Amino acid sequence: MERLSNGSQLAAQLLAAQLGSLLGPNTCGPEDFERVKALGQGSHGTTRLVRRKHDGRLVCSKHVPTERFPKVASQVVREVEILMMCDGHPHIIGFIGAFVTADGLDIVQEFAEGGTLQQRIDRRRELQDPLLESEVLDTFIQLTGALEHLHSHKVLHRDLKPANVFFDRRNLARLGDFGIAAIAK
């Protein structure tokens, strides 16, 4: 971390300490995963598809570069806290772990291989094949269940849009991307 500014170094150390306290011994590390490919770029960093080495399972890793820590440290700690609180709900992307390295923070989550609602809408628009009312209602019901669960934990998602609704291999809608979520007082 020698090439980082003092502010970035301090923020990285603080973030590592906060996450260590939050996660306890049940965390993971970079040695547990191998990179497969980049999936997308967001405002805070890059989302990567990675393979968990011990079982070969494909998962996602949201990577936030160390240089961003001074500006986003409290947001990413809150995101990890929210993911841990809401983990286990069938319509919320599951949390696997998080770790800090010299080049950044990785938040590891389930991979929804069915893509996003935005991708489905775009694909159907290209084919001039509108979504069926039953498809819309099914997705709506699943998302309201996810939101009810979040709100019961006093979590506000604050970025609900088709690009943040994912589908797993069973075609279940899963709400994700808690980067700007907040915990209500």
Side-chain angles (χ1 to χ4, degrees):
M1 279 200 252
E2 287 81 334
R3 66 183 181 2
L4 298 174
S5 70
N6 287 341
S8 292
Q9 286 179 3
L10 184 58
Q13 291 169 349
L14 180 60
L15 185 60
Q18 287 176 312
L19 282 176
S21 170
L22 187 62
L23 295 169
N26 300 321
T27 191
C28 52
E31 68 281 354
D32 297 326
F33 306 95
E34 70 177 83
R35 290 184 192 174
V36 175
K37 67 179 181 177
L39 293 173
Q41 184 75 30
S43 59
H44 295 315
T46 305
T47 301
R48 302 171 175 154
L49 181 63
V50 297
R51 185 178 319 280
R52 196 163 50 184
K53 289 181 180 176
H54 83 271
D55 63 2
R57 181 177 174 198
L58 292 174
V59 295
C60 277
S61 178
K62 178 179 179 179
H63 179 77
V64 181
T66 307
E67 298 79 35
R68 302 276 302 140
F69 287 176
K71 293 182 180 180
V72 300
S74 62
Q75 279 182 293
V76 294
V77 168
R78 183 177 54 243
E79 183 174 2
V80 169
E81 182 180 20
I82 288 168
L83 286 166
M84 290 177 68
M85 275 189 332
C86 297
D87 190 40
H89 191 277
H91 300 296
I92 296 175
I93 288 289
F95 176 72
I96 294 172
F99 56 88
V100 177
T101 63
D103 70 331
L105 162 77
D106 283 73
I107 301 172
V108 185
Q109 303 169 71
E110 291 177 320
F111 172 57
E113 49 276 277
T116 68
L117 179 56
Q118 185 64 58
Q119 290 168 331
R120 286 186 176 195
I121 291 169
D122 292 345
R123 190 169 36 251
R124 296 291 281 275
R125 186 175 289 137
E126 284 175 18
L127 298 172
Q128 297 182 0
D129 181 23
L131 293 170
L132 300 174
E133 183 178 335
S134 60
E135 293 173 294
V136 173
L137 287 174
D138 189 43
T139 301
F140 177 77
I141 289 167
Q142 293 176 57
L143 292 176
T144 56
L147 289 171
E148 189 281 325
H149 184 72
L150 290 174
H151 294 170
S152 74
H153 286 87
K154 301 198 182 306
V155 173
L156 305 175
H157 188 277
R158 301 190 333 165
D159 196 18
L160 196 57
K161 60 187 180 185
N164 290 337
V165 176
F166 303 88
F167 291 92
D168 66 14
R169 69 182 177 284
R170 299 170 296 168
N171 204 35
L172 293 177
R174 311 287 296 274
L175 186 57
D177 195 349
F178 291 85
I180 65 168
I183 300 174
K185 302 286 179 190

